[in-house]
Coordinates of all heavy atoms in Angstrom, one line a residue:
V1 N 139.2 35.1 125.5 CA 138.1 35.9 124.9 C 138.0 37.2 125.4 O 137.8 38.1 124.5 CB 136.7 35.2 125.2 CG1 135.5 35.9 124.7 CG2 136.7 33.7 124.6
D2 N 138.2 37.6 126.7 CA 138.2 38.8 127.2 C 139.3 39.7 126.6 O 138.9 40.9 126.3 CB 138.4 38.7 128.7 CG 137.2 38.3 129.4 OD1 136.1 38.2 128.9 OD2 137.4 37.9 130.6
E3 N 140.4 39.1 126.3 CA 141.5 40.0 125.7 C 141.1 40.2 124.3 O 141.2 41.5 123.8 CB 142.8 39.1 125.6 CG 144.0 40.0 125.0 CD 145.2 39.2 125.1 OE1 145.3 38.2 125.9 OE2 146.2 39.5 124.3
A4 N 140.5 39.4 123.5 CA 140.2 39.7 122.1 C 139.0 40.7 122.1 O 139.1 41.5 121.3 CB 139.6 38.4 121.3
L5 N 138.1 40.5 123.1 CA 137.1 41.6 123.2 C 137.6 43.0 123.5 O 137.2 43.9 123.0 CB 136.0 41.3 124.3 CG 135.2 40.1 124.0 CD1 134.3 39.6 125.1 CD2 134.2 40.4 122.6
A6 N 138.5 43.1 124.4 CA 139.3 44.3 124.8 C 140.0 44.8 123.6 O 139.9 46.1 123.3 CB 140.2 44.1 126.0
V7 N 140.6 44.0 122.8 CA 141.3 44.6 121.6 C 140.4 45.1 120.6 O 140.7 46.2 120.1 CB 142.4 43.4 121.1 CG1 142.9 43.8 119.5 CG2 143.4 43.1 121.9
G8 N 139.3 44.4 120.5 CA 138.2 44.8 119.4 C 137.7 46.2 119.9 O 137.6 46.9 119.0
Q9 N 137.4 46.2 121.1 CA 136.8 47.6 121.6 C 137.7 48.6 121.5 O 137.3 49.8 121.1 CB 136.2 47.3 123.0 CG 135.3 48.5 123.4 CD 134.2 48.8 122.4 OE1 133.4 48.0 122.3 NE2 134.1 50.0 121.8
A10 N 138.9 48.5 121.9 CA 140.0 49.5 121.7 C 140.2 49.9 120.2 O 140.3 51.0 120.1 CB 141.3 48.9 122.3
A11 N 140.3 49.0 119.4 CA 140.4 49.2 118.0 C 139.2 50.1 117.4 O 139.2 51.0 116.7 CB 140.5 48.0 117.1
M12 N 137.9 49.7 117.9 CA 136.7 50.5 117.6 C 136.8 52.0 118.1 O 136.5 52.8 117.4 CB 135.4 49.8 118.1 CG 135.1 48.6 117.4 SD 134.4 48.8 115.7 CE 132.9 49.5 115.9
D13 N 137.3 52.1 119.3 CA 137.5 53.4 119.9 C 138.4 54.3 119.2 O 138.1 55.6 119.2 CB 137.9 53.3 121.3 CG 136.8 52.7 122.3 OD1 135.7 52.6 121.9 OD2 137.3 52.2 123.3
I14 N 139.4 53.8 118.4 CA 140.4 54.6 117.6 C 140.0 54.4 116.1 O 141.0 54.8 115.4 CB 141.7 54.4 118.1 CG1 142.1 52.9 117.8 CG2 142.0 54.8 119.5 CD1 143.6 52.7 118.0
D15 N 138.8 54.0 115.8 CA 138.4 54.0 114.3 C 139.3 53.0 113.6 O 139.5 53.2 112.4 CB 138.3 55.3 113.7 CG 137.2 56.1 114.2 OD1 136.2 55.5 114.7 OD2 137.3 57.4 114.4
Q16 N 139.9 52.0 114.2 CA 140.6 50.9 113.4 C 139.6 49.7 113.2 O 139.7 48.7 113.8 CB 141.9 50.5 114.2 CG 142.8 51.4 114.0 CD 144.2 51.0 114.7 OE1 144.3 50.0 115.2 NE2 145.2 51.9 114.6
T17 N 138.6 50.0 112.4 CA 137.5 49.1 112.3 C 137.8 47.7 111.8 O 137.3 46.7 112.2 CB 136.3 49.7 111.5 OG1 136.2 51.2 111.8 CG2 134.9 49.0 111.7
E18 N 138.6 47.7 110.9 CA 138.9 46.3 110.2 C 139.8 45.5 111.3 O 139.6 44.2 111.5 CB 139.8 46.4 109.0 CG 140.2 45.2 108.4 CD 139.0 44.2 108.0 OE1 138.0 44.7 107.6 OE2 139.2 43.0 108.1
R19 N 140.6 46.1 112.1 CA 141.3 45.5 113.2 C 140.4 44.9 114.2 O 140.6 43.9 114.8 CB 142.4 46.4 113.8 CG 143.1 45.8 114.9 CD 143.8 44.7 114.7 NE 144.4 43.9 115.9 CZ 144.0 42.7 116.3 NH1 143.3 42.1 115.5 NH2 144.6 42.3 117.4
A20 N 139.3 45.8 114.4 CA 138.4 45.5 115.5 C 137.6 44.2 115.0 O 137.3 43.3 115.8 CB 137.3 46.6 115.6
R21 N 137.2 44.2 113.7 CA 136.5 43.1 113.1 C 137.3 41.8 113.4 O 136.8 40.7 113.7 CB 136.2 43.3 111.7 CG 135.2 42.2 111.1 CD 134.9 42.6 109.8 NE 135.9 42.5 108.7 CZ 136.0 41.5 108.0 NH1 135.3 40.4 108.0 NH2 137.1 41.4 107.1
Q22 N 138.6 41.9 113.0 CA 139.4 40.7 113.1 C 139.5 40.2 114.7 O 139.4 39.0 114.9 CB 140.9 41.0 112.6 CG 141.0 41.2 111.1 CD 142.3 41.8 110.8 OE1 143.3 42.0 111.7 NE2 142.4 42.1 109.6
A23 N 139.6 41.3 115.7 CA 139.6 40.8 117.1 C 138.3 40.2 117.5 O 138.3 39.1 118.2 CB 139.9 42.0 118.0
F24 N 137.2 40.7 117.0 CA 135.9 40.2 117.4 C 135.7 38.8 116.7 O 135.1 37.9 117.3 CB 134.8 41.1 117.0 CG 134.8 42.2 118.0 CD1 134.8 43.5 117.5 CD2 134.7 42.1 119.3 CE1 134.7 44.6 118.2 CE2 134.6 43.3 120.1 CZ 134.7 44.5 119.6
Q25 N 136.2 38.6 115.5 CA 136.2 37.3 114.9 C 136.9 36.2 115.6 O 136.5 35.1 115.9 CB 136.7 37.4 113.4 CG 135.8 38.0 112.4 CD 136.4 38.1 111.0 OE1 137.7 38.3 110.9 NE2 135.6 37.9 110.1
E26 N 138.1 36.7 116.2 CA 138.8 35.7 117.1 C 138.0 35.4 118.3 O 138.0 34.2 118.8 CB 140.2 36.5 117.5 CG 141.0 35.6 118.3 CD 142.4 36.2 118.8 OE1 142.7 37.3 118.1 OE2 142.9 35.8 119.7
A27 N 137.4 36.3 118.8 CA 136.6 36.1 120.1 C 135.5 35.1 119.8 O 135.2 34.3 120.6 CB 136.0 37.5 120.6
V28 N 134.8 35.3 118.6 CA 133.7 34.4 118.3 C 134.3 33.0 118.1 O 133.7 32.0 118.5 CB 133.1 34.9 117.0 CG1 132.3 33.8 116.4 CG2 132.2 36.2 117.2
L29 N 135.5 32.8 117.5 CA 136.1 31.6 117.4 C 136.5 30.9 118.8 O 136.2 29.8 119.0 CB 137.4 31.7 116.6 CG 137.1 31.8 115.1 CD1 138.5 32.0 114.3 CD2 136.4 30.7 114.4
L30 N 136.8 31.7 119.7 CA 137.2 31.3 121.0 C 136.0 31.0 121.9 O 136.0 30.0 122.7 CB 138.1 32.3 121.8 CG 139.6 32.6 121.2 CD1 140.1 33.8 121.9 CD2 140.4 31.4 121.3
D31 N 135.0 31.7 121.7 CA 133.7 31.5 122.4 C 132.5 31.7 121.6 O 131.9 32.9 121.4 CB 133.6 32.2 123.7 CG 132.4 31.9 124.6 OD1 131.6 31.0 124.2 OD2 132.2 32.7 125.6
P32 N 132.1 30.7 120.8 CA 130.8 30.9 119.9 C 129.6 31.3 120.6 O 128.5 31.6 120.0 CB 130.8 29.7 119.1 CG 131.9 28.9 119.4 CD 132.6 29.4 120.7
Q33 N 129.5 31.1 121.9 CA 128.3 31.3 122.7 C 128.3 32.8 123.4 O 127.5 33.1 124.2 CB 128.2 30.3 123.8 CG 128.0 28.9 123.2 CD 126.9 28.8 122.2 OE1 125.8 29.2 122.5 NE2 127.2 28.3 121.0
S34 N 129.4 33.5 123.0 CA 129.5 34.8 123.6 C 128.6 36.0 122.9 O 129.0 36.4 121.7 CB 131.0 35.3 123.7 OG 131.0 36.6 123.9
P35 N 127.6 36.5 123.4 CA 126.9 37.4 122.7 C 127.6 38.8 122.6 O 127.3 39.5 121.6 CB 125.6 37.8 123.6 CG 125.9 37.1 125.0 CD 126.9 36.1 124.8
K36 N 128.6 39.0 123.5 CA 129.4 40.2 123.4 C 130.3 40.1 122.2 O 130.5 41.2 121.5 CB 130.3 40.4 124.6 CG 129.4 40.8 125.9 CD 130.5 41.0 126.9 CE 129.6 41.4 128.2 NZ 130.6 41.8 129.4
A37 N 130.7 39.0 121.9 CA 131.6 38.7 120.7 C 130.9 39.0 119.5 O 131.3 39.7 118.4 CB 132.3 37.4 120.8
W38 N 129.7 38.4 119.4 CA 128.9 38.5 118.1 C 128.5 39.9 117.9 O 128.4 40.4 116.8 CB 127.6 37.6 118.3 CG 128.0 36.2 118.1 CD1 128.0 35.1 119.1 CD2 128.4 35.5 116.9 NE1 128.5 34.0 118.4 CE2 128.6 34.1 117.1 CE3 128.5 35.9 115.6 CZ2 129.0 33.2 116.2 CZ3 129.0 35.1 114.5 CH2 129.1 33.8 114.9
R39 N 128.0 40.6 119.1 CA 127.7 42.0 119.0 C 128.8 42.9 118.5 O 128.6 43.8 117.6 CB 127.1 42.5 120.4 CG 126.9 44.0 120.5 CD 125.6 44.3 119.7 NE 125.3 45.8 119.7 CZ 124.5 46.3 120.6 NH1 123.8 45.7 121.5 NH2 124.3 47.6 120.5
G40 N 130.1 42.7 119.1 CA 131.3 43.4 118.7 C 131.5 43.2 117.2 O 131.8 44.3 116.4
L41 N 131.4 41.9 116.8 CA 131.6 41.6 115.3 C 130.6 42.2 114.4 O 131.1 43.0 113.4 CB 131.5 40.1 115.1 CG 131.8 39.6 113.6 CD1 133.1 40.1 113.2 CD2 131.7 38.1 113.6
A42 N 129.3 42.3 114.8 CA 128.2 43.0 114.1 C 128.6 44.5 114.1 O 128.4 45.1 113.0 CB 127.0 42.7 114.7
D43 N 128.9 45.1 115.2 CA 129.2 46.5 115.2 C 130.3 46.9 114.2 O 130.1 47.8 113.5 CB 129.5 47.0 116.7 CG 128.4 47.0 117.5 OD1 127.2 47.0 117.1 OD2 128.6 47.1 118.8
A44 N 131.4 46.2 114.2 CA 132.5 46.4 113.4 C 131.9 46.3 111.9 O 132.3 47.0 111.1 CB 133.7 45.5 113.6
E45 N 131.3 45.2 111.6 CA 130.7 45.0 110.2 C 129.8 46.0 109.8 O 129.9 46.5 108.7 CB 130.2 43.6 110.0 CG 131.1 42.4 110.2 CD 130.5 41.0 110.4 OE1 129.3 41.0 110.8 OE2 131.2 40.1 110.1
Y46 N 129.0 46.5 110.6 CA 128.1 47.6 110.3 C 128.8 48.9 110.0 O 128.7 49.5 108.9 CB 127.1 47.8 111.5 CG 126.1 48.9 111.1 CD1 124.9 48.6 110.5 CD2 126.3 50.2 111.5 CE1 123.9 49.5 110.2 CE2 125.3 51.2 111.1 CZ 124.1 50.8 110.6 OH 123.2 51.7 110.2
A47 N 129.9 49.1 110.9 CA 130.7 50.3 110.5 C 131.5 50.3 109.1 O 131.7 51.1 108.6 CB 131.7 50.5 111.6
L48 N 131.8 49.0 108.7 CA 132.4 48.6 107.4 C 131.4 48.6 106.5 O 131.9 48.3 105.1 CB 133.4 47.5 107.6 CG 134.6 47.5 108.5 CD1 135.0 46.2 108.8 CD2 135.6 48.4 107.8
K49 N 130.2 48.9 106.6 CA 129.1 48.8 105.6 C 128.9 47.4 105.1 O 128.4 47.2 104.0 CB 129.4 49.8 104.5 CG 129.4 51.2 105.0 CD 129.4 52.1 103.9 CE 129.6 53.6 104.3 NZ 129.2 54.1 105.7
L50 N 129.2 46.4 106.0 CA 129.0 45.0 105.6 C 127.6 44.6 106.2 O 127.5 43.7 107.1 CB 130.0 44.1 106.1 CG 131.5 44.4 105.6 CD1 132.5 43.5 106.4 CD2 131.5 44.1 104.1
R51 N 126.6 45.3 105.9 CA 125.3 45.3 106.5 C 124.6 44.0 106.5 O 124.1 43.5 107.6 CB 124.3 46.4 106.0 CG 124.9 47.8 105.9 CD 124.9 48.5 107.3 NE 125.8 49.5 107.5 CZ 125.8 50.7 107.2 NH1 124.8 51.1 106.3 NH2 126.5 51.6 107.4
P52 N 124.5 43.1 105.5 CA 123.8 41.8 105.6 C 124.7 40.9 106.6 O 123.9 40.2 107.4 CB 124.0 41.2 104.2 CG 124.0 42.4 103.3 CD 124.9 43.5 104.1
K53 N 126.0 41.0 106.6 CA 126.8 40.1 107.6 C 126.3 40.8 109.0 O 126.2 40.0 110.0 CB 128.2 40.2 107.5 CG 128.7 39.4 106.3 CD 130.2 39.4 106.2 CE 130.7 38.6 105.1 NZ 132.1 38.4 105.1
A54 N 126.4 42.0 109.2 CA 126.0 42.6 110.5 C 124.7 42.2 111.0 O 124.6 41.8 112.1 CB 126.1 44.1 110.4
L55 N 123.7 42.2 110.1 CA 122.3 41.7 110.5 C 122.4 40.3 111.0 O 121.8 40.1 112.1 CB 121.4 41.9 109.3 CG 120.0 41.4 109.6 CD1 119.3 42.1 110.8 CD2 119.2 41.5 108.4
T56 N 123.0 39.5 110.3 CA 123.1 38.1 110.8 C 123.8 37.9 112.1 O 123.2 37.1 113.0 CB 123.9 37.2 109.8 OG1 123.2 37.2 108.5 CG2 124.1 35.7 110.2
H57 N 124.8 38.6 112.3 CA 125.5 38.6 113.6 C 124.9 39.3 114.8 O 124.9 38.9 115.9 CB 126.9 39.1 113.4 CG 127.7 38.1 112.5 ND1 128.7 38.6 111.6 CD2 127.5 36.9 112.3 CE1 129.1 37.6 110.9 NE2 128.4 36.5 111.3
Y58 N 124.1 40.4 114.5 CA 123.3 41.1 115.5 C 122.1 40.1 115.9 O 121.9 40.0 117.2 CB 122.7 42.4 114.9 CG 123.5 43.5 115.0 CD1 123.6 44.4 113.7 CD2 124.2 44.0 116.1 CE1 124.3 45.4 113.7 CE2 124.9 45.1 116.1 CZ 125.1 45.8 114.9 OH 125.8 47.0 114.9
Q59 N 121.6 39.4 115.0 CA 120.5 38.3 115.4 C 121.2 37.2 116.2 O 120.6 36.9 117.1 CB 119.9 37.8 114.0 CG 119.1 38.8 113.3 CD 118.6 38.4 111.9 OE1 119.3 37.8 111.2 NE2 117.4 38.7 111.7
K60 N 122.4 36.9 116.0 CA 123.0 35.8 116.7 C 123.2 36.4 118.2 O 123.1 35.6 119.1 CB 124.4 35.4 116.1 CG 125.1 34.3 116.9 CD 124.5 33.0 116.5 CE 125.3 31.9 117.1 NZ 124.8 30.6 117.0
A61 N 123.7 37.6 118.3 CA 123.9 38.2 119.5 C 122.5 38.3 120.4 O 122.6 38.0 121.5 CB 124.5 39.6 119.4
L62 N 121.4 38.6 119.7 CA 120.2 38.7 120.3 C 119.7 37.2 120.8 O 119.3 37.0 121.8 CB 119.1 39.2 119.4 CG 118.9 40.6 119.4 CD1 117.9 41.0 118.2 CD2 118.5 41.2 120.6
A63 N 120.0 36.2 120.0 CA 119.6 34.9 120.3 C 120.4 34.4 121.5 O 119.7 33.6 122.4 CB 119.8 33.9 119.1
L64 N 121.6 34.7 121.6 CA 122.4 34.3 122.8 C 122.4 35.2 124.0 O 122.5 34.6 125.1 CB 123.9 34.2 122.3 CG 124.3 33.2 121.2 CD1 125.7 33.4 120.8 CD2 124.1 31.8 121.8
G65 N 122.0 36.3 123.9 CA 122.1 37.2 125.0 C 120.8 37.5 125.7 O 120.8 38.3 126.7
G66 N 119.7 37.0 125.2 CA 118.5 37.4 125.9 C 117.9 38.8 125.4 O 118.4 39.3 124.6
P67 N 116.8 39.2 126.2 CA 116.2 40.4 125.8 C 116.9 41.5 125.8 O 117.7 41.9 126.7 CB 115.1 40.4 126.8 CG 115.2 39.4 127.7 CD 116.4 38.5 127.4
D68 N 117.0 42.4 124.7 CA 117.7 43.7 124.5 C 116.8 44.4 123.7 O 117.0 44.4 122.4 CB 119.1 43.4 123.9 CG 119.9 44.8 123.9 OD1 119.2 45.8 123.9 OD2 121.1 44.7 123.8
P69 N 115.8 45.1 124.2 CA 114.8 45.9 123.4 C 115.5 46.9 122.4 O 115.0 47.1 121.3 CB 114.0 46.7 124.4 CG 114.2 45.8 125.7 CD 115.5 45.3 125.7
A70 N 116.6 47.5 122.9 CA 117.2 48.5 122.0 C 117.8 47.8 120.8 O 117.7 48.3 119.6 CB 118.3 49.4 122.7
L71 N 118.6 46.8 121.0 CA 119.1 46.0 119.9 C 118.1 45.4 119.0 O 118.1 45.3 117.8 CB 120.1 44.9 120.4 CG 120.8 44.1 119.4 CD1 121.5 45.0 118.4 CD2 121.7 43.1 120.0
K72 N 117.0 44.9 119.6 CA 115.9 44.2 118.8 C 115.3 45.3 117.9 O 115.1 45.0 116.6 CB 114.9 43.6 119.6 CG 113.8 42.9 118.9 CD 112.8 42.1 119.9 CE 111.9 41.4 119.0 NZ 111.0 40.5 119.8
A73 N 115.1 46.5 118.4 CA 114.6 47.6 117.5 C 115.5 48.0 116.5 O 115.1 48.2 115.3 CB 114.3 48.8 118.4
F74 N 116.9 48.0 116.7 CA 117.8 48.3 115.7 C 117.9 47.3 114.7 O 118.0 47.6 113.4 CB 119.3 48.5 116.3 CG 120.3 48.8 115.4 CD1 120.3 50.1 114.8 CD2 121.3 47.8 114.9 CE1 121.4 50.4 113.9 CE2 122.2 48.2 114.1 CZ 122.3 49.4 113.6
V75 N 117.8 46.0 115.1 CA 117.8 44.9 114.1 C 116.6 45.1 113.2 O 116.7 44.8 111.9 CB 117.8 43.5 114.9 CG1 117.5 42.4 113.9 CG2 119.2 43.3 115.4
G76 N 115.4 45.5 113.8 CA 114.1 45.7 112.9 C 114.5 46.7 111.9 O 114.0 46.5 110.7
K77 N 115.1 47.7 112.4 CA 115.3 48.9 111.4 C 116.3 48.4 110.3 O 116.3 48.8 109.0 CB 115.8 50.1 112.1 CG 114.7 50.8 112.9 CD 115.3 52.0 113.7 CE 114.3 52.6 114.7 NZ 114.8 53.6 115.4
L78 N 117.3 47.7 110.6 CA 118.4 47.3 109.8 C 117.6 46.3 108.7 O 117.9 46.4 107.5 CB 119.5 46.5 110.5 CG 120.6 46.1 109.6 CD1 121.3 47.1 108.8 CD2 121.7 45.6 110.6
K79 N 116.8 45.5 109.1 CA 116.0 44.6 108.2 C 115.3 45.3 107.3 O 115.3 45.0 106.1 CB 115.1 43.7 109.0 CG 115.8 42.5 109.7 CD 114.8 41.7 110.3 CE 115.1 40.3 110.7 NZ 114.0 39.6 111.2
D80 N 114.6 46.3 107.8 CA 113.9 47.3 106.8 C 114.8 47.9 105.8 O 114.5 48.0 104.6 CB 113.1 48.3 107.6 CG 111.8 47.7 108.4 OD1 111.6 46.5 108.0 OD2 111.5 48.4 109.3
M81 N 115.9 48.4 106.2 CA 116.8 49.1 105.4 C 117.4 48.1 104.3 O 117.5 48.5 103.2 CB 118.0 49.7 106.3 CG 118.9 50.4 105.4 SD 120.2 51.3 106.4 CE 121.0 50.0 107.4
L82 N 117.5 46.8 104.8 CA 118.1 45.9 103.8 C 117.0 45.3 102.8 O 117.3 44.4 102.0 CB 118.8 44.7 104.5 CG 120.1 45.2 105.2 CD1 120.7 44.1 105.9 CD2 121.1 45.7 104.1
G83 N 115.7 45.7 103.2 CA 114.6 45.2 102.4 C 114.2 43.7 102.8 O 113.6 43.1 101.9
S84 N 114.6 43.2 103.9 CA 114.2 41.9 104.4 C 112.7 41.9 104.5 O 112.2 42.7 105.2 CB 115.0 41.5 105.6 OG 114.5 40.3 106.0
S85 N 112.1 40.8 104.3 CA 110.6 40.6 104.5 C 110.4 39.9 105.7 O 109.2 39.6 106.1 CB 109.9 39.9 103.2 OG 110.6 38.6 103.1
E86 N 111.5 39.4 106.5 CA 111.2 38.7 107.7 C 110.8 39.6 108.8 O 111.4 40.7 108.8 CB 112.6 38.1 108.1 CG 113.1 36.9 107.1 CD 114.5 36.4 107.6 OE1 114.7 36.2 108.7 OE2 115.3 36.2 106.8
A87 N 109.9 39.1 109.6 CA 109.4 39.8 110.7 C 110.2 39.3 111.9 O 110.2 38.2 112.1 CB 107.9 39.8 110.8
E88 N 110.5 40.1 112.8 CA 111.1 39.8 114.1 C 110.3 40.0 115.2 O 109.5 41.0 115.4 CB 112.4 40.6 114.4 CG 113.3 40.1 115.5 CD 113.8 38.7 115.3 OE1 114.0 38.2 114.3 OE2 114.0 38.1 116.4

């Protein structure tokens, strides 16, 4: 999992977003309880403009990772942007 996370982050750092998404997907498969893997996947999807998927995966990261006020605020803004009527 750590290796997949590192590959994903390195790919994000050099704007290889699709490669990053693949690495984070692998990390999620290896450890579905990893909030870092879900957050990385969501970040890559957001960058690729896959916003509904990103929202779902940010919510999963929040559920697994405990309190993160900044991420919770971002998720709220993303929900508003997507026109979701769900309140968080």
Side-chain angles (χ1 to χ4, degrees):
V1 174
D2 290 340
E3 184 177 336
L5 290 172
V7 168
Q9 190 55 57
M12 288 291 285
D13 290 346
I14 59 172
D15 293 326
Q16 290 185 355
T17 316
E18 182 56 40
R19 175 65 190 112
R21 186 171 75 95
Q22 292 168 1
F24 289 126
Q25 283 176 325
E26 180 182 340
V28 163
L29 288 173
L30 292 170
D31 184 1
Q33 300 303 310
S34 169
K36 288 181 182 180
W38 287 106
R39 173 73 185 261
L41 179 57
D43 287 343
E45 289 168 339
Y46 186 85
L48 291 166
K49 301 195 184 331
L50 301 172
R51 305 282 159 74
K53 284 185 178 185
L55 175 59
T56 299
H57 295 146
Y58 280 129
Q59 290 171 319
K60 182 75 171 179
L62 272 174
L64 293 171
D68 184 335
L71 181 56
K72 187 172 182 176
F74 179 74
V75 166
K77 289 178 185 177
L78 183 55
K79 280 180 162 181
D80 289 345
M81 183 173 55
L82 293 173
S84 174
S85 61
E86 295 178 43
E88 188 63 31

